[in-house]
Amino acid sequence: MNYRIAKNAASLSPSLTLAIDAKAKQLKAEGQDVVGFGAGEPDFDTPQHIKDAAVQALAEGFTKYTPSSGTLELRQAVAEKFQKDNGLTYSPSQIVISCGGKHSCFNAIMATCQEGDEVLIPAPYWVSYPEMVKLAGATPVVLPTTDATGFKLTPEQLAEAITPKTRLLILNSPSNPTGAVYTPEELKAIGDVCVEKGILIMSDEIYEKLVYDDARHVSVASFSEAHYRHTIIVHGLAKAYAMTGWRIGFMAAPEPIAKAVGAIQSHSTSNPTSFAQKGAVAALLGPQDHLPRWIEEFNKRRTYALERLNAMPGISCVPAKGAFYLFPNIGKLGLSSTEFCSRLLEEEKVAAVPGVAFGADDCIRISYATSMANLAKGLDRMEQFVRRLAR
Ligand code: PLP
């Protein structure tokens, strides 16, 4: 038998972030004292009232197919969220509930991009974007940014990269992996270029609620009617409600795009899990009092880790104001990001993700979605490692 793998699938690289996480978990299971800085999920548990709503749904027999694009109840709750948090008006027919924010991104790209299209992706980027673009048959065009600009794309850089083939710009603020948050002014200037050139924006706002200091999240769709018409917002419940395992994401888009995404979903996954959708309604419409507590805790860790990293020889770290990641530059230490992370794991039992996975080989990603005690222990070990390298 010839197990030929289809061209689009064969060109994919498996997710390195998931691989590192798996390796760290395996070492832990073998009894090794590993500190994991690789996590892409909050270390908090899903708030109880959300779990209760799903349990109640199960008890009441809410276990059958729902509409493929999600229940009307949940789409209405999402519409309410956009109105309240972002001043954006969407009708439920513009909203599709999917099996996680990742699935929402995938569907949005599948619905809008095809062979011959170019998709602009500022680097450092979330690992999955270029691979999704390739799966759609389109071409990812990476726009590098560095810590000198706080890892932010400038409108000039964007304008220069646009060609007649450009179809979509992928924006992610707050960012995974850098933690960068665009100011409203920066975001508007980028949105203006897209509007002027007739380019769609896929705005991944999954870390919206996790911002610190003076940072403020604003949706690029909210600047004008024209920005709204050019934007697909992808989002999800994983990060702000610690619901990574529930697999509920959502998107809001102009009607023709939402309709196309609905059709794709109706022929692929069908509806996201029925009772998880009930939990999602409780998350969006219920009490939000966990958030200030989580944000305060994340912020403490962020401040601590920033200070520690910037005190290490040869390392510099941008004071990122969002998500739960820091993206220190290790370029002066003379190792590639993969060598750095493999040796850090081997020699000091600390798992971090090489920046090369995100298109930046001179950096590594540190997730502070872990306890303060773990953070301190992992940073102590990393400091020993770095001091040895810098000698
Ligand atoms: N977008 C970004 C930038 C992310 O970091 C993640 C998760 O790590 C997702 C989307 C997808 O999240 P999920 O599919 O778990 O909802």
Side-chain angles (χ1 to χ4, degrees):
M1 180 56 206
N2 170 13
Y3 294 110
R4 178 184 59 85
I5 301 301
K7 193 174 75 187
N8 286 352
S11 72
L12 291 182
S13 332
S15 167
L16 194 56
T17 51
L18 296 184
I20 297 273
D21 207 37
K23 173 82 183 160
K25 281 181 179 145
Q26 183 206 327
L27 288 175
K28 255 188 209 161
E30 288 168 5
Q32 305 219 36
D33 176 25
V34 175
V35 178
F37 284 162
E41 57 187 351
D43 53 320
F44 307 116
D45 195 5
T46 310
Q48 190 59 43
H49 68 279
I50 301 174
K51 293 184 190 174
D52 290 344
V55 168
Q56 190 185 337
L58 271 174
E60 288 172 358
F62 192 71
T63 55
K64 302 293 201 300
Y65 291 134
T66 75
S68 170
S69 294
T71 61
L72 182 61
E73 182 191 27
L74 179 51
R75 282 181 289 132
Q76 274 166 343
V78 168
E80 236 175 83
K81 172 251 160 319
F82 279 121
Q83 192 73 63
K84 183 165 58 88
D85 293 349
N86 314 97
L88 292 167
T89 305
Y90 288 104
S91 68
S93 59
Q94 292 177 275
I95 291 165
V96 180
I97 314 298
S98 299
C99 310
K102 188 178 267 186
H103 188 212
S104 300
C105 293
F106 181 82
N107 283 343
I109 291 169
M110 285 293 154
T112 55
C113 302
Q114 61 189 20
E115 203 162 335
D117 290 338
E118 291 176 354
V119 177
L120 303 180
I121 308 177
Y125 45 73
W126 182 46
V127 273
S128 296
Y129 299 141
E131 307 304 315
M132 289 174 180
V133 169
K134 284 192 260 169
L135 269 175
T139 306
V141 177
V142 171
L143 308 181
T145 71
T146 66
D147 40 7
T149 59
F151 297 113
K152 293 179 196 175
L153 180 72
T154 63
E156 294 76 27
Q157 195 185 359
L158 170 62
E160 248 171 55
I162 291 173
T163 74
K165 291 182 175 171
T166 308
R167 173 69 175 142
L168 181 75
L169 165 71
I170 299 183
L171 270 184
N172 174 218
S173 175
S175 155
N176 175 6
T178 66
V181 185
Y182 284 79
T183 67
E185 295 73 29
E186 289 164 343
L187 206 54
K188 179 173 182 303
I190 288 194
D192 287 347
V193 174
C194 293
V195 166
E196 192 195 316
K197 304 275 186 181
I199 288 161
L200 283 171
I201 304 165
M202 186 181 90
S203 178
D204 183 341
E205 304 182 10
I206 197 160
Y207 293 97
E208 162 174 29
K209 302 283 187 189
L210 304 180
V211 289
Y212 317 104
D213 290 348
D214 56 346
R216 192 162 67 86
H217 172 81
V218 175
S219 175
V220 67
S222 66
F223 293 118
S224 74
E225 180 58 28
H227 289 79
Y228 176 90
R229 279 190 278 106
H230 282 74
T231 305
I232 305 165
I233 301 178
V234 289
H235 212 308
L237 294 156
K239 315 291 175 176
Y241 299 93
M243 291 173 70
T244 45
W246 292 63
R247 310 312 303 137
I248 298 286
F250 51 88
M251 61 163 267
E255 192 106 24
I257 296 176
K259 221 171 137 193
V261 165
I264 291 172
Q265 191 157 294
S266 75
H267 290 296
S268 47
T269 57
S270 286
N271 64 272
T273 304
S274 56
F275 45 90
Q277 292 188 64
K278 285 285 189 187
V281 171
L284 290 171
L285 302 183
Q288 308 289 314
D289 52 338
H290 67 286
L291 263 173
R293 280 184 282 115
W294 290 7
I295 289 168
E296 193 188 336
E297 181 59 32
F298 277 141
N299 194 28
K300 260 193 228 154
R301 300 173 189 174
R302 181 188 71 104
T303 312
Y304 170 76
L306 261 173
E307 210 179 294
R308 291 288 312 267
L309 287 166
N310 277 318
M312 293 183 198
I315 290 200
S316 60
C317 187
V318 170
K321 294 181 180 176
F324 37 67
Y325 308 106
L326 292 172
F327 206 58
N329 191 313
I330 50 121
K332 288 198 185 125
L333 293 165
L335 296 180
S336 74
S337 62
T338 309
E339 286 165 344
F340 185 97
C341 289
S342 316
R343 284 188 50 188
L344 184 62
L345 186 56
E346 237 160 68
E347 295 173 29
E348 295 290 344
K349 304 286 177 283
V350 174
V353 186
V356 70
F358 312 100
D361 203 16
D362 53 357
C363 295
I364 64 167
R365 191 189 75 175
I366 303 272
S367 162
Y368 50 88
T370 186
S371 70
M372 200 61 172
N374 252 340
L375 202 57
K377 182 157 116 181
L379 288 170
D380 284 348
R381 293 180 183 183
M382 183 168 155
E383 180 159 358
Q384 288 182 43
F385 174 68
V386 167
R387 287 199 183 280
R388 275 204 307 277
L389 281 181
R391 266 211 298 265

